[in-house]
Amino acid sequence: MARQMTSPVQQCIDMCNQCHDMSERMITHCMETGGDQMVRIGNMMISCADMCRMCADMLMRSSSMKSDRDMMRMCARMCELCADMCRMGSEMFQKAKDPRLTEAVDMMKRCADACRAVTEDAMTRSA
């Protein structure tokens, strides 16, 4: 029997998927723009895309784990790492002053907030 997803979990999955898609678009933009800073940002976006995809995938598969509490802890940790990655990226992008990265800054902040909400929700449930 599958565990029903809470609203924060579904919101996090949605935000992680949206952030992944945005990251993929920004990778191309950064690499086409060129320059040391944009290449560094593009490389960071690759990591962000991977982290967001992994976080969403873990949350979507959580019902297949035998122990919901252990899975919630792992997903919460993954969400926490994803939030850290997104916050770090948004700070880096603000310094770049590239108008195309404004979308990325906003999306990464919203994704980080959604991931933090899952972390808080999971910790409340496992207490």
Side-chain angles (χ1 to χ4, degrees):
M1 183 162 98
R3 182 173 60 87
Q4 188 171 358
M5 287 188 210
T6 63
S7 181
V9 171
Q10 188 58 55
Q11 289 173 353
C12 186
I13 290 168
D14 294 343
M15 287 306 303
C16 284
N17 284 329
Q18 290 174 33
C19 196
H20 172 269
D21 294 345
M22 177 276 308
S23 296
E24 292 290 330
R25 289 190 307 276
M26 290 298 109
I27 291 165
T28 302
H29 168 68
C30 291
M31 297 308 175
E32 287 174 351
T33 301
D36 289 343
Q37 184 178 32
M38 291 303 277
V39 169
R40 279 194 310 277
I41 290 172
N43 287 332
M44 192 267 181
M45 291 304 295
I46 293 168
S47 297
C48 182
D50 290 345
M51 183 68 75
C52 288
R53 175 64 72 200
M54 187 183 327
C55 187
D57 288 349
M58 282 187 74
L59 290 170
M60 286 187 286
R61 287 192 301 265
S62 67
S63 62
S64 67
M65 298 297 284
K66 290 182 181 176
S67 171
D68 279 353
R69 189 175 314 217
D70 290 341
M71 187 62 196
M72 280 192 292
R73 275 192 224 123
M74 285 188 294
C75 285
R77 182 65 183 133
M78 178 55 64
C79 287
E80 185 178 345
L81 293 170
C82 189
D84 291 345
M85 173 67 75
C86 287
R87 291 229 187 273
M88 183 176 64
S90 68
E91 291 168 8
M92 181 188 283
F93 298 166
Q94 285 174 325
K95 293 176 186 172
K97 297 183 177 155
D98 180 314
R100 295 254 337 250
L101 293 175
T102 302
E103 173 193 2
V105 170
D106 182 55
M107 175 63 67
M108 293 175 102
K109 285 180 180 178
R110 289 185 297 154
C111 188
D113 290 344
C115 287
R116 289 277 185 239
V118 167
T119 302
E120 291 168 11
D121 185 57
M123 292 303 114
T124 301
R125 288 170 176 261
S126 66

